[in-house]
Amino acid sequence: MHVKGANRKTVLEELKRFNRQDQKYDEGKILCSMCTKPHPIAKKAYLMFLNSNLGDPGLFPGSLQLEREVINELASLLHGENCVGSLVSGGTEANMLALLAARNMANVKDPEVVLPKSAHFSFTKICGMLKLKPVYVDLDDSFRVDLSKVEACIRGNTVAIVGTAGTSELGVVDPIEGLSDLALKRDVYFHVDAAFGGLVLPFLPNGGKFDFQLPAVKSMTVDPHKMGMAAIPTGGAIFRDTQTIDHLKTETPYLTNRFQYTFVGTRPGASAASAWAVFRLLGVEGFKKIVDKCMKTTRLLTNELKAARCCLVTEPTLNIAAFRSPKGTKHLAQSLWQRGWFVSYVPRYDCIRVVVMPHVQNQHALAFLADLRDIEKI
Ligand code: 0PR
């Protein structure tokens, strides 16, 4: 820290210099992100609640009410009645809370968790921290976890099985219904990671069953800071009932609340306000329109990619396109980066992944395709 402070104008000018270095969603070049520009109402709401701390809700009862309403809205979108939960820092923390509840509930020696090989990398961190042994299960030909292999991995010390509704790399939905049946049959905790898909699938015409309408689903992750267009950080951890979150309870000896159910103590009320504002402004109809537009742009992209002789790893279920080039995919990814297109290269599938978030417009997809054709000389 400098000994003497600077004047306000200098501080702001210096900040602007940093800010200019950051990429801007509006330019439509960020194709590798599951986040997007927060909705303008989210920004307003966030600023309005900048002071609020959900970790001490007695001081901020309005913010607490906003959090409850957001959790209830998410639960009702996901067909959950009487669900409870918290807004947390993101998908990592939500997944962690779910596995902690499962571990504490089972209370067994040498606990294990059965995960698809496609599960988000946050589970690797979580298993390390919670001292859970991850048992990774192979995928089938459609990149969904193989049910019979999951069953073969469930043992007496399995504390949970996990399925993903919208994998991070390909946007694939695991056979959640089959996993739910299996969890019921084997009496094991079932967590669904819908960090991304949880705010896409409910707005698709054929989203399928992937949520609390399946009886074994005990908890779900769904992040408003991804397709919910809320400000970062806004993650959602939703649990079927209070008995489950009782396993997360920590006494807070001197605060305005008696217990906390999250890892993080101080939590931004501004996040709750930003998600609440987007939900209230858009409603289901507004979300449907946005998701529909993202899906149309995804289809435009995949059709044109095929015409440019690229092959899709799989037909998209969500607004994620994954493809390979016959001339070398990694090289194509590097060339696209050189031209300013921020795509992901996924070594596991040797593919390029494009996430078509609301900031990616048709015109950006077309400009991207023009550059791709130019690189590929097609
Ligand atoms: N579960 C799933 C299915 C996810 O896709 C993610 C993150 C998580 C859990 C963890 O969520 P948090 O990162 O909120 O803790 N998915 C994105 C990813 O890894 C996160 C992201 C977003 C990364 C924007 C980069 C970026 O620019 O791709």
Side-chain angles (χ1 to χ4, degrees):
M1 199 185 284
H2 298 277
V3 176
K4 259 190 192 306
N7 66 38
R8 194 173 172 276
K9 192 162 162 259
T10 309
V11 174
L12 291 176
E13 265 164 17
E14 289 181 3
L15 277 177
K16 265 190 206 149
R17 260 208 314 276
F18 286 104
N19 192 249
R20 271 197 294 272
Q21 293 174 39
D22 290 353
Q23 296 302 321
K24 306 290 178 294
Y25 291 111
D26 278 339
E27 284 165 23
K29 297 261 179 173
I30 301 179
L31 306 179
C32 57
S33 172
M34 286 189 158
C35 294
T36 190
K37 187 179 167 175
H39 194 286
I41 196 96
K43 190 172 161 187
K44 273 216 160 236
Y46 196 92
L47 291 175
M48 199 186 285
F49 284 80
L50 204 56
N51 296 331
S52 154
N53 173 15
L54 290 172
D56 207 356
L59 304 181
F60 306 101
S63 303
L64 176 66
Q65 187 59 25
L66 286 172
E67 181 189 26
R68 287 204 178 125
E69 291 195 13
V70 172
I71 294 296
N72 288 345
E73 299 246 9
L74 289 172
S76 89
L77 267 181
L78 303 171
H79 301 98
E81 276 172 42
N82 311 316
C83 281
V84 287
S86 307
L87 289 179
V88 293
S89 55
T92 304
E93 191 185 349
N95 285 337
M96 193 162 181
L97 289 171
L99 291 197
L100 179 63
R103 195 196 70 177
N104 290 352
M105 203 182 270
N107 193 22
V108 293
K109 206 167 160 278
D110 304 322
E112 295 184 353
V113 52
V114 178
L115 298 149
K117 276 197 172 155
S118 54
H120 186 259
F121 63 83
S122 54
F123 287 103
T124 314
K125 304 182 197 175
I126 293 163
C127 287
M129 251 184 287
L130 299 184
K131 302 276 180 280
L132 288 165
K133 183 180 165 204
V135 179
Y136 284 105
V137 179
D138 288 332
L139 309 182
D140 64 17
D141 294 343
S142 55
F143 307 97
R144 294 151 35 108
V145 74
D146 187 313
L147 279 177
S148 59
K149 290 186 179 159
V150 172
E151 177 148 34
C153 290
I154 300 176
R155 308 194 305 162
N157 56 344
T158 303
V159 301
I161 61 173
V162 172
T164 314
T167 58
S168 315
E169 286 155 338
L170 303 178
V172 164
V173 180
D174 280 322
I176 305 294
E177 225 170 322
L179 288 169
S180 171
D181 292 344
L182 205 53
L184 270 191
K185 184 169 130 196
R186 302 293 299 271
D187 191 23
V188 61
Y189 187 109
F190 180 29
H191 173 66
V192 178
D193 180 0
F196 185 72
L199 281 165
V200 183
L201 291 163
F203 308 117
L204 290 177
N206 302 311
K209 284 191 189 169
F210 69 98
D211 58 20
F212 289 108
Q213 66 192 298
L214 301 169
V217 176
K218 277 275 186 203
S219 53
M220 294 189 72
T221 292
V222 50
D223 287 347
H225 72 197
K226 296 188 168 83
M227 280 297 286
M229 291 162 286
I232 297 172
T234 317
I238 320 280
F239 294 87
R240 183 177 286 278
D241 45 45
T242 46
Q243 289 97 294
T244 313
I245 62 160
D246 275 346
H247 295 276
L248 299 172
K249 203 164 172 176
T250 303
E251 209 167 328
T252 51
Y254 53 86
L255 299 182
T256 55
N257 52 352
R258 282 195 54 215
F259 303 104
Q260 285 188 357
Y261 298 85
T262 51
F263 283 107
V264 176
T266 303
R267 289 181 299 129
S271 292
S274 81
W276 188 94
V278 180
F279 291 2
R280 185 80 185 93
L281 187 86
L282 294 180
V284 171
E285 281 178 13
F287 265 100
K288 272 192 179 155
K289 271 191 202 141
I290 290 170
V291 166
D292 184 56
K293 192 160 159 278
C294 291
M295 290 307 294
K296 284 198 173 116
T297 308
T298 308
R299 276 191 289 274
L300 167 85
L301 188 67
T302 52
N303 288 340
E304 290 300 317
L305 283 167
K306 285 184 215 164
R309 288 182 228 142
C310 286
C311 84
L312 301 186
V313 177
T314 177
E315 282 295 328
T317 311
L318 303 178
N319 43 329
I320 299 178
F323 62 95
R324 302 186 180 109
S325 154
K327 296 185 178 170
T329 309
K330 195 169 182 183
H331 179 259
L332 173 59
Q334 282 161 350
S335 306
L336 287 165
W337 267 76
Q338 275 161 13
R339 294 190 185 208
W341 294 106
F342 298 97
V343 292
S344 313
Y345 172 72
V346 186
R348 190 201 314 241
Y349 304 114
D350 180 37
C351 74
I352 291 172
R353 157 207 192 241
V354 169
V355 191
V356 185
M357 294 301 286
H359 63 266
V360 182
Q361 315 270 343
N362 278 356
Q363 85 224 35
H364 303 128
L366 293 171
F368 170 76
L369 288 157
D371 265 345
L372 182 142
R373 278 179 175 272
D374 194 47
I375 295 164
E376 297 280 86
K377 302 197 176 27
I378 287 168

